Amino acid sequence: MLTVPVRQLGESERRAVERLLDLDPFAGAQVAERIAARGLSWWRAEGRILGYGARRNLESLCWLGGNLTPVLATEPAISAFADLLAGEERLCSSIVGRADAVLGLWDRLSDAWGPARDVRPNQPLLATDTLPAVPADPEVRQVRAGEVDRLFPASVAMYTEEVGVSPLAEDAGRSYRRRVNDLVRAGRAYARFVDGKVVFKAELAVVTKRTAQVQGVWVAPEWRGRGMATAAMAAVVRDALLRVAPTVSLYVNDFNLPARRVYERCGFQPIGTLATVLF
């Protein structure tokens, strides 16, 4: 039986890569956004994209940058990607993607790359293409350029709660602040302010021609349990559908039942399951 080698893909194979990404527009959204913005040349893309399959029949992809993201990864592709990656130093901070592919990779890479700080094996992937039936909070709006200093502490709090480490631990938070600035400048950061303080925030962290992916949803602790989140999230979804993309998507930890109820009220439907391995 002949083994199909994994190879690094270049700009000449961009159409084949885009065709595969179109087959999984939600789980592969982050990779699709990067390819659309920077192409496949490694010196521009800040990462590598690996391909599995014959040159005329590309089957699976794996993005390797700050994150490791398999896309449409078959069992043979998972084994081939893992064989290659096990011989390399781990530089990514997480593995994220469809649960079967991520957990398959981790089974094969854990001896070489472990231990993980956290493994989240069941993260429902949700999407909607319909305006929410619930009323939208009129106080939720896009964050303005001059409000980054107000938004940043809430962004740090969200990241620390969600990921388990502070984004300030690496380079004193400079790269994370640049990311927050970029989202605000692009009109992709939303917040509700009360007395100048952020009490709700969310952002369209990934935007492609197929979907706007919401991340960073956060409610200030003193405002939790007061019924604000549903209307606030409805405002984000409504604006994203009318202004940005034909669908809105997100993924959520299975144990976060309050958030899952909010997303259900806003019209999100399950379309798959992701998993994340955090280092």
Side-chain angles (χ1 to χ4, degrees), residues 128 130-132 214 232-242 248 266 268:
T128 182
T130 304
L131 293 175
V214 179
M233 191 66 194
V236 174
V237 173
R238 180 178 180 82
D239 183 71
L241 287 175
L242 292 176
V248 179
C266 289
F268 285 91

Side-chain angles (χ1 to χ4, degrees), residues 22 30 37 58 69 81 102 105 125 128 144 169 173 189 242 266 271:
D22 273 344
Q30 186 176 43
L58 190 62
T69 303
F81 290 140
V102 167
L105 279 171
L125 177 63
T128 182
R144 303 180 187 115
L242 292 176
C266 289
I271 56 170

Side-chain angles (χ1 to χ4, degrees), residues 3-131:
T3 300
V4 177
V6 172
R7 64 188 189 280
Q8 184 169 328
L9 304 178
E11 194 64 28
S12 64
E13 295 177 281
R14 182 165 178 169
R15 285 189 180 181
V17 169
E18 290 174 340
R19 281 196 296 270
L20 279 186
L21 290 169
D22 273 344
L23 296 176
D24 198 0
F26 301 108
Q30 186 176 43
V31 180
E33 182 187 53
R34 287 181 177 272
I35 299 303
R38 303 209 174 190
L40 275 74
S41 300
W42 64 266
W43 60 88
R44 295 181 57 216
E46 298 179 345
R48 293 183 288 155
I49 189 157
L50 307 176
Y52 175 86
R55 193 160 295 275
R56 293 179 179 271
N57 185 28
L58 190 62
E59 298 176 23
S60 302
L61 304 171
C62 191
W63 167 264
L64 179 58
N67 302 318
L68 176 65
T69 303
V71 180
L72 296 176
T74 61
E75 276 292 329
I78 291 169
S79 295
F81 290 140
D83 286 346
L84 174 68
L85 295 169
E88 300 186 5
E89 179 186 3
R90 177 188 63 79
L91 299 176
C92 61
S93 61
S94 66
I95 308 174
V96 60
R98 294 276 180 184
D100 54 351
V102 167
L103 298 177
L105 279 171
W106 184 234
D107 282 344
R108 295 164 174 84
L109 290 172
S110 56
D111 286 344
W113 281 12
R117 186 165 51 80
D118 194 10
V119 178
R120 300 176 182 179
N122 183 5
Q123 296 176 303
L125 177 63
L126 313 173
T128 182
D129 61 1
T130 304
L131 293 175

Side-chain angles (χ1 to χ4, degrees), residues 24 47 55 114 120 127 141 151 196 200 202 221 228 232 240 267:
D24 198 0
R55 193 160 295 275
R120 300 176 182 179
R141 58 171 175 80
L151 176 64
F200 167 86
M228 181 183 71

Side-chain angles (χ1 to χ4, degrees), residues 118-202:
D118 194 10
V119 178
R120 300 176 182 179
N122 183 5
Q123 296 176 303
L125 177 63
L126 313 173
T128 182
D129 61 1
T130 304
L131 293 175
V134 295
D137 185 343
E139 299 299 317
V140 172
R141 58 171 175 80
Q142 291 172 255
V143 180
R144 303 180 187 115
E147 295 172 324
V148 171
D149 286 344
R150 295 180 181 179
L151 176 64
F152 189 66
S155 298
V156 170
M158 175 281 304
Y159 187 101
T160 304
E161 285 183 33
E162 176 62 24
V163 181
V165 295
S166 171
L168 305 181
E170 185 175 346
D171 71 9
R174 287 187 294 273
S175 59
Y176 187 63
R177 188 179 180 89
R178 281 196 300 271
R179 172 63 173 165
V180 173
N181 264 308
D182 289 345
L183 290 168
V184 170
R185 189 166 55 247
R188 288 161 54 173
Y190 301 85
R192 179 179 175 182
F193 295 86
V194 174
D195 296 328
K197 181 181 177 181
V198 174
V199 299
F200 167 86
K201 66 165 286 293

